Amino acid sequence: MKKALAALTVAFSACLASGVSAQSLTVGFSQIGSESGWRAAETTVTKQEAEKRGIDLKFADAQQKQENQIKAIRGFIAQGVDAILVAPVVATGWDAVLKEAKEEEIPVILLDRQIESPEDLYLTAVTSDQVHEGKVAGEWLVKEIGDKDCKVVELQGTTGSSPAINRKKGFEEGIASNAKITIARSQTGDFTRTKGKEVMESFIKAEGGGKDICAVYAHNDDMAVGAIQAIKEAGLKPGTDIKIVSIDAVPDIFKAMADGEANATVELTPNMAGPAFDVLDAYLKDKKQPPKWIQTESKLFTAADDPMKVYEAKKGLGY
Ligand code: GZL
């Protein structure tokens, strides 16, 4: 903390001399990569939010590799940034590098995914309630299916990531009230369209050409869009023969809904950085510890919600 305040004092007097805003901070951002439309939007919005606040954002794309994130964080520490944002690709393996940031009194804020490290190693985490997201998806399917048997195939997110762990848990809770809904196959599609399509093709092959599959639950819309392509290539109708429920609410899933090829999605805001920068600003001013979790909203959208209108509204937002 002393370091951050010292840096601020130096910055303040330097800025006074140069007439630049005294508020300008330098923040490092270790982003996972660009695996999905939602991730691309989060990157765009984070840069916009930094720009709005006159924050000098140092951006590092890890291409899905934790070792690249750790390297980037060490680089930010060496540069003496005022704070670090991290979207942690997986939930474990962060203690050592976060201890190094703590030793340098550089606050770290987690974006969109949680980690299993001790809470004192980060200032706060800005994320959705991923268990709730999965539960909302499961409860939607229970309502949609009624009293029929329903074999579900699940496309999981990145193995070991908090959304993959939590969205699986939540969906299982959501369908628990109806024993006729069962998860027959579950495999990671790594949050990407390509892998989502590949894994869905293998599910279709393994399940009698797909006619026995009642629904796909995908941990994100990108994998759902990949699955939709695989279902169509197998000669089946996504959205009717096989129900499609997923999470993120990216524009393309609304396009699929409007075409009758997808059924439901749970919205995840790409703006985790706005709340993060606001908390950081307050913390650097009054040194008061913020809550360890800042929860973002999760809203269910279905084909009843004018999908083309939502598509038009979302498509320009950096996805
Ligand atoms: C969830 C976020 C996930 C998105 C995916 O909070 O980490 O990562 O749901 C993205 O689209 O790949």
Side-chain angles (χ1 to χ4, degrees), residues 32 34-39 42 64 87-89 111-114 126-128 130 133 158 161-164 167 190-192 219-222 247-248 250 268-269 272:
I32 290 173
S34 50
E35 73 281 3
S36 69
W38 184 89
R39 183 66 57 196
E42 184 188 50
Q64 316 301 116
V89 60
L111 298 190
D112 82 82
R113 295 188 185 180
Q114 293 98 344
V126 182
T127 82
S128 59
Q130 294 150 359
E133 291 168 331
T158 301
S161 68
S162 66
R167 288 174 179 173
D190 219 5
F191 284 129
T192 69
H219 291 187
N220 82 333
D221 295 340
D222 283 65
I247 300 170
D248 278 353
V250 300
L268 177 71
T269 175
M272 306 284 182

Side-chain angles (χ1 to χ4, degrees), residues 1-15 22 24-26 79-83 104-106 284:
M1 196 49 228
K2 285 195 296 301
K3 179 175 170 48
L5 283 178
L8 266 181
T9 319
V10 169
F12 185 78
S13 37
C15 292
S24 63
L25 291 173
T26 302
Q79 287 171 50
V81 297
D82 299 300
E104 292 303 315
E105 298 173 343
I106 299 174
L284 290 176

Side-chain angles (χ1 to χ4, degrees), residues 47-309:
K47 291 177 177 173
Q48 289 167 345
E49 290 296 319
E51 176 106 19
K52 263 198 251 177
R53 294 166 172 81
I55 288 171
D56 176 12
L57 189 75
K58 306 285 182 198
F59 180 78
D61 177 327
Q63 277 136 32
Q64 316 301 116
K65 293 192 173 64
Q66 181 175 32
E67 64 263 29
N68 291 344
Q69 291 202 278
I70 291 171
K71 234 183 273 162
I73 294 167
R74 289 205 163 111
F76 296 145
I77 294 169
Q79 287 171 50
V81 297
D82 299 300
I84 295 171
L85 303 183
V86 189
V89 60
V90 290
T92 55
W94 301 98
D95 293 14
V97 72
L98 293 182
K99 279 184 187 137
E100 292 165 30
K102 189 177 168 88
E103 269 146 34
E104 292 303 315
E105 298 173 343
I106 299 174
V108 174
I109 297 180
L110 307 178
L111 298 190
D112 82 82
R113 295 188 185 180
Q114 293 98 344
I115 59 175
E116 290 169 17
S117 298
E119 284 188 350
D120 68 321
L121 292 181
Y122 57 88
L123 186 65
T124 188
V126 182
T127 82
S128 59
D129 178 339
Q130 294 150 359
V131 174
H132 174 68
E133 291 168 331
K135 197 165 178 196
V136 167
E139 288 168 347
W140 172 83
L141 188 63
V142 168
K143 274 206 206 85
E144 178 73 8
I145 293 301
D147 196 23
K148 293 195 317 259
D149 286 333
C150 184
K151 189 186 271 190
V152 180
V153 292
E154 179 181 23
L155 295 167
Q156 293 186 36
T158 301
T159 305
S161 68
S162 66
I165 294 161
N166 295 330
R167 288 174 179 173
K168 178 166 188 47
K169 178 169 182 282
F171 184 77
E172 287 162 357
E173 288 172 6
I175 61 170
S177 62
N178 181 345
K180 289 185 170 181
I181 300 179
T182 55
I183 300 173
R185 294 179 188 277
S186 181
Q187 197 180 322
T188 183
D190 219 5
F191 284 129
T192 69
R193 292 188 185 202
T194 313
K195 202 94 175 31
K197 182 173 187 237
E198 257 169 51
V199 174
M200 189 64 204
E201 285 163 349
S202 69
F203 286 162
I204 288 168
K205 224 176 261 138
E207 292 288 343
K211 60 186 182 331
D212 306 341
I213 299 172
C214 151
V216 176
Y217 166 52
H219 291 187
N220 82 333
D221 295 340
D222 283 65
M223 292 190 291
V225 168
I228 287 167
Q229 283 157 1
I231 293 167
K232 285 162 76 172
E233 286 170 14
L236 295 166
K237 293 197 203 75
T240 40
D241 297 337
I242 299 180
K243 300 293 179 190
I244 310 287
V245 55
S246 54
I247 300 170
D248 278 353
V250 300
D252 284 352
I253 204 68
F254 291 98
K255 187 85 183 45
M257 270 186 210
D259 296 342
E261 295 180 346
N263 305 93
T265 184
V266 183
E267 184 176 48
L268 177 71
T269 175
N271 187 1
M272 306 284 182
F277 287 139
D278 292 345
V279 163
L280 176 65
D281 201 30
Y283 174 71
L284 290 176
K285 284 200 180 91
D286 64 14
K287 295 182 296 177
K288 267 218 315 280
Q289 176 61 45
K292 280 296 174 183
W293 182 29
I294 296 168
Q295 184 185 336
T296 60
E297 295 285 299
S298 306
K299 181 173 183 290
L300 177 69
F301 282 88
T302 69
D305 295 310
D306 196 349
M308 262 332 268
K309 190 158 160 253

